[in-house]
Amino acid sequence: KKIWSATTCLVAATTTGPRKSSFLASALSFHRGCSSSCNTSYTRRGLFASSCNTSYTRRGLFASTGDDSSAISSGSSFTTHSSLSELLEEFDYDALILDQFGVLHNGKNALDGTIDCVERIALGKDGTKKVRLIVLSNTSSPSKTTLDRLQTKLGFDRSYFCEAVTSGEEAGRYIQKTYGNNNNDNKKSKFVWCTWDVSNENVPDPAAFLELLGPNVEPTVDISSADFVVAHGSGAIRGFGKDQVGSDATQQQEEHEIISMGSFLDDGNLGEGTPINDLLGKCADRNLPLVCANPDMVVQYHDGSLKHMPGKIAQRYQEILESKNGKNDDELPSITIYGKPHTEHFEACLRKLEEDRTKQQTTSDKNSEELQQPLRVAHVGDSIHHDIAGANAAGVPSIFIVGGIHEEDLLSPQEEGDEKKETSSAEPSKTSRRMPTEGRLREFFDREGITPTHVLPVFKY
């Protein structure tokens, strides 16, 4: 282990009473008429790009950068560790909030050593301290679907996770509450649905998300009848017939139109003449609001390629709206984004971890000294902009995984070349255990204006 400078282990305290909400809402909406717990003015760029032109409140936990910092920083100090066991030996965390992509799996396979790591700390095997685990993910899948897939597709035992908090679940509940409580049974709310191609086995099942919305909301490809837009996936625009209310097999057969997004998933092309750009332009002509169920811009697939996510669709829609209406927020429809780095999602994880601890206590343990102590919680993630920035803003210590989305930024060309030689096509889940030099890490963190509490090469015990 190396400690580049003195650092204090920050403890995220959870309580059974109400917690003061941070100024970042779980979804930030960009028009004056939409309620939000945000009391700070945001640039639209701040949601989508790697930097934001806003200073962030740190709740007294993190030192201010002293100016309009481009992002959230936990200070200039961080610790590095060769393994999770080494980190936990010194920093006695009771619970971990786990990102999925780049930490647990690559979309198709569990990453090398992660199944064993999860089992060891969840069960407290071989003298290991038992650690509570919860998943926090910018997936457009519902929470239950996410946990089911971790077990059935990726080999994790879902019982090792007390819960999952996903951007898809929160977005779906918002849509149901906002558009699905229609007392007029003869009139349903309709939305333009940018979603996934069901033939792609590596993406979430669109039907699971649709079920969250309830019977009074349905997708349509008829923009003239739509009430809002949903950026849920990056494969197709899907619409159902007038009598559709759900997503079972019979109803899916009656789906009347699917419009391909072309090559967007692979190349991120949303330029003039592409199907999705033309559709968004027509939605902007009607000033339709948009809900984004996954704010990610790109993710790294199992084969090392970068795939383009719904966050880019929301960003492009914002650009089209501004080109048509100018940048006056009073004249623009809302763009509501769910997922990290918004701190409400981290706070939801803290509450659920505390609820799980309370639930697991026997009656005689309810007044135990252990239960009276705050949980010591850290978040594990590979995205400096979503995971680390969000954890820092929420006052949660962060564990940055080098071998994820930023690996190419952090490994030198020589190291990267060596790593490719070591990783064969027969080992798609192999992950690097290399740790960049102190200088390279510090340069990267300083450039992004975001510093984690700890650094690990991979999530491996």
Side-chain angles (χ1 to χ4, degrees), residues 160-207:
Y160 296 158
F161 308 96
C162 72
E163 185 59 271
V165 174
T166 72
S167 53
E169 178 87 16
E170 300 306 310
R173 292 186 182 279
Y174 167 80
I175 292 169
Q176 196 281 328
K177 181 179 179 180
T178 305
Y179 297 100
N181 290 329
N182 192 337
N183 294 324
N184 183 358
D185 292 338
N186 295 322
K187 186 180 186 304
K188 298 177 182 180
S189 296
K190 296 186 177 183
F191 65 98
V192 176
W193 193 20
C194 302
T195 187
W196 299 106
D197 181 351
V198 294
S199 66
N200 186 342
E201 63 179 11
N202 297 316
V203 300
D205 178 12

Side-chain angles (χ1 to χ4, degrees), residues 27-41:
L28 300 179
S29 300
F30 293 95
H31 71 146
R32 296 181 185 274
C34 188
S35 65
S36 169
S37 60
C38 176
N39 57 19
T40 300
S41 146

Side-chain angles (χ1 to χ4, degrees), residues 85 88 115-131 160 461:
S85 58
L88 292 177
I115 293 177
D116 172 71
C117 183
V118 166
E119 183 176 349
R120 277 177 175 269
I121 61 178
L123 297 180
K125 293 178 64 176
D126 303 325
T128 303
K129 177 184 175 179
K130 187 174 181 179
V131 178
Y160 296 158
Y461 192 76

Side-chain angles (χ1 to χ4, degrees), residues 41-195:
S41 146
Y42 277 82
T43 61
R44 286 175 175 263
R45 182 175 184 273
L47 266 183
F48 308 106
S50 62
S51 63
C52 178
N53 298 325
T54 304
S55 298
Y56 289 81
T57 300
R58 291 170 176 76
R59 295 184 177 182
L61 288 173
F62 304 110
S64 172
T65 55
D67 56 14
D68 285 340
S69 172
S70 64
I72 307 169
S73 174
S74 66
S76 60
S77 301
F78 57 90
T79 68
T80 63
H81 308 263
S82 61
S83 66
L84 182 65
S85 58
E86 181 186 278
L87 189 155
L88 292 177
E89 185 176 346
E90 181 166 354
F91 297 92
D92 192 23
Y93 291 113
D94 303 308
L96 296 177
I97 302 170
L98 299 177
D99 179 36
Q100 288 197 98
F101 269 87
V103 174
L104 296 177
H105 62 81
N106 58 20
K108 185 175 183 179
N109 305 99
L111 296 175
D112 185 41
T114 56
I115 293 177
D116 172 71
C117 183
V118 166
E119 183 176 349
R120 277 177 175 269
I121 61 178
L123 297 180
K125 293 178 64 176
D126 303 325
T128 303
K129 177 184 175 179
K130 187 174 181 179
V131 178
R132 299 179 190 280
L133 303 175
I134 188 169
V135 172
L136 175 59
S137 177
N138 281 355
T139 175
S140 49
S141 290
S143 298
K144 180 180 181 301
T145 306
T146 296
L147 291 177
D148 288 344
R149 187 172 187 273
L150 280 173
Q151 176 160 311
T152 60
K153 301 289 188 182
L154 297 163
F156 294 90
D157 188 329
R158 64 165 291 164
S159 68
Y160 296 158
F161 308 96
C162 72
E163 185 59 271
V165 174
T166 72
S167 53
E169 178 87 16
E170 300 306 310
R173 292 186 182 279
Y174 167 80
I175 292 169
Q176 196 281 328
K177 181 179 179 180
T178 305
Y179 297 100
N181 290 329
N182 192 337
N183 294 324
N184 183 358
D185 292 338
N186 295 322
K187 186 180 186 304
K188 298 177 182 180
S189 296
K190 296 186 177 183
F191 65 98
V192 176
W193 193 20
C194 302
T195 187

